[in-house]
Amino acid sequence: MSGAWSWVLMGGEQVWSPGFFRLLGLVPNAAKASYELLLSLVHPEDRHRLPSFGEIRQGHVPRETIVRVIRPNGTVRTLSLVMEARFSGDGRPVAVNGTALDVTDREQLSHVSHEERRRRGALYLTEHIVTFSVGLDLVREIPFEVAQVHGLPLENICIDPYIMIVPEERNAFQDAAGGQIERRLFFQGTAHERLANGELWNFRIITVPVRDPDGTYLGRYGLKYPVRSPVPVPAALCEGLDQAVTGNHLRAARALLDWSMMDLAQASGLSHSTVRRLEEDGEHRGSRSRLQAASTLRRAGIRFIPLDDGTLAVAKA
């Protein structure tokens, strides 16, 4: 939702668009447009972000500012206000125009992302556990705290995370990981890394390919944690492993549960023909059907366990 407003400084006339009234939680034209009314609705902690009357009359307005607005019904929305002063030929400010856009969802997402980055960073500082993502450009999205713990430049780690591995293990690990990444398969391995304080830690690193429901490859998701501190597998990593489940894994899982294809179809809500296609590897890796079947088997006690040699093992809990 968006709106616009204007203020002619000479005569004092202020005009709000219907959209601007609605952004503030007001019925269009039910109240007189005024800067005082706008200020009264802005959250008290944010009012300092808006220019004073004196600043506006001098033409000193911010290009853009973000403020929270408390509507008459008590709801809070976040608005982006863009302002522009207009001047006469002799340089005197004559009017101020503005536009407003509701950016509540964007700001909430930004806040959540910030909190998630903070949490991930704190986890690496205390437990040396981190999740990360790898884009199609092979650049890693890694918290700054990883660089802090290892005493290396973050930009270097994001481009080449293998520099954290001790030199005598680096090439072998990189070759093994690179082969699996090139084939867009999951990878798991262990390696020793030196911390900035001189300590030597043994880490397990798991990365899995990520695909959309159409099977398009989007990049990779990874988990790194000390070998001595096993951690629960994050949901995103589980989904990546489920995408690696093949027909052989499904048949092995059914055998462990003593299920027929019809049993799996009924338990998962899939058709018998879909289960057959999955077991014949007739559907792409990212298909929802594959994830649904794997999730059903997990709930029944099946575990898909990545091994360091690149094998995805099947076990029954």
Side-chain angles (χ1 to χ4, degrees):
M1 185 184 297
S2 61
W5 59 277
S6 65
W7 183 354
V8 178
L9 301 179
M10 183 66 70
E13 180 185 11
Q14 298 187 45
V15 179
W16 291 357
S17 72
F20 193 66
F21 276 99
R22 295 190 185 97
L23 282 175
L24 300 177
L26 303 172
V27 177
N29 302 314
K32 183 178 179 180
S34 69
Y35 195 63
E36 294 93 334
L37 177 57
L38 172 60
L39 285 176
S40 72
L41 295 172
V42 172
H43 195 291
E45 295 178 359
D46 293 348
R47 286 175 189 162
H48 70 279
R49 299 177 181 174
L50 292 179
S52 65
F53 287 92
E55 289 172 326
I56 290 177
R57 291 192 177 97
Q58 294 175 28
H60 299 155
V61 297
R63 173 60 185 165
E64 180 182 13
T65 187
I66 305 291
V67 298
R68 290 166 293 173
V69 167
I70 304 175
R71 293 173 167 177
N73 65 3
T75 60
V76 179
R77 305 298 293 179
T78 303
L79 305 184
S80 168
L81 301 177
V82 176
M83 307 178 194
E84 182 180 9
R86 290 162 47 199
F87 298 86
S88 65
D90 58 6
R92 289 182 298 106
V94 295
V96 174
N97 295 332
T99 59
L101 180 67
D102 190 326
V103 294
T104 305
D105 294 341
R106 185 192 76 186
E107 291 299 305
Q108 288 177 343
L109 180 60
S110 175
H111 176 73
V112 170
S113 298
H114 173 75
E115 286 301 306
E116 174 62 15
R117 287 194 297 271
R118 186 191 63 78
R119 185 195 67 80
R120 291 170 61 212
L123 185 61
Y124 201 77
L125 286 176
T126 57
E127 304 293 336
H128 300 340
I129 298 170
V130 68
T131 57
F132 57 92
S133 60
V134 186
L136 294 175
D137 56 3
L138 299 184
V139 175
R140 282 77 176 168
E141 190 280 305
I142 296 174
F144 169 77
E145 287 75 7
V146 174
Q148 185 177 345
V149 168
H150 290 272
L152 296 168
L154 178 62
E155 58 270 24
N156 293 0
I157 294 176
C158 290
I159 295 173
D160 180 16
Y162 304 110
I163 62 174
M164 292 184 287
I165 299 174
V166 294
E168 58 268 28
E169 298 179 13
R170 188 177 302 156
N171 289 340
F173 187 95
Q174 185 170 1
D175 289 343
Q180 293 296 93
I181 292 172
E182 185 177 350
R183 296 197 299 273
R184 296 181 178 177
L185 302 174
F186 80 86
F187 168 77
Q188 174 175 290
T190 58
H192 289 88
E193 297 182 359
R194 185 78 61 183
L195 307 189
N197 62 9
E199 294 180 1
L200 189 65
W201 284 54
N202 192 18
F203 288 94
R204 174 166 283 110
I205 299 102
I206 307 172
T207 71
V208 297
V210 178
R211 296 178 174 86
D212 67 12
D214 295 325
T216 302
Y217 180 73
L218 303 176
R220 300 183 74 84
Y221 181 85
L223 169 68
K224 170 184 167 183
Y225 63 93
V227 170
R228 66 190 186 191
S229 306
V231 298
V233 178
L237 196 65
C238 278
E239 181 169 324
L241 290 175
D242 288 350
Q243 290 180 347
V245 170
T246 66
N248 289 333
H249 297 114
L250 295 178
R251 286 190 291 272
R254 284 199 298 104
L256 289 173
L257 295 172
D258 196 22
W259 280 10
S260 66
M261 278 198 290
M262 184 57 71
D263 291 330
L264 177 55
Q266 291 176 346
S268 62
L270 300 171
S271 67
H272 184 273
S273 60
T274 298
V275 172
R276 183 181 295 279
R277 283 199 307 275
L278 288 171
E279 295 201 0
E280 294 174 349
D281 291 322
E283 294 211 4
H284 58 73
R285 293 286 186 175
S287 74
R288 290 299 180 193
S289 300
R290 185 185 306 277
L291 299 180
Q292 195 168 330
S295 177
T296 299
L297 292 168
R298 285 184 186 277
R299 290 194 299 270
I302 294 298
R303 297 293 178 263
F304 299 106
I305 305 169
L307 304 180
D308 287 351
D309 64 358
T311 301
L312 187 64
V314 182
K316 182 180 178 182

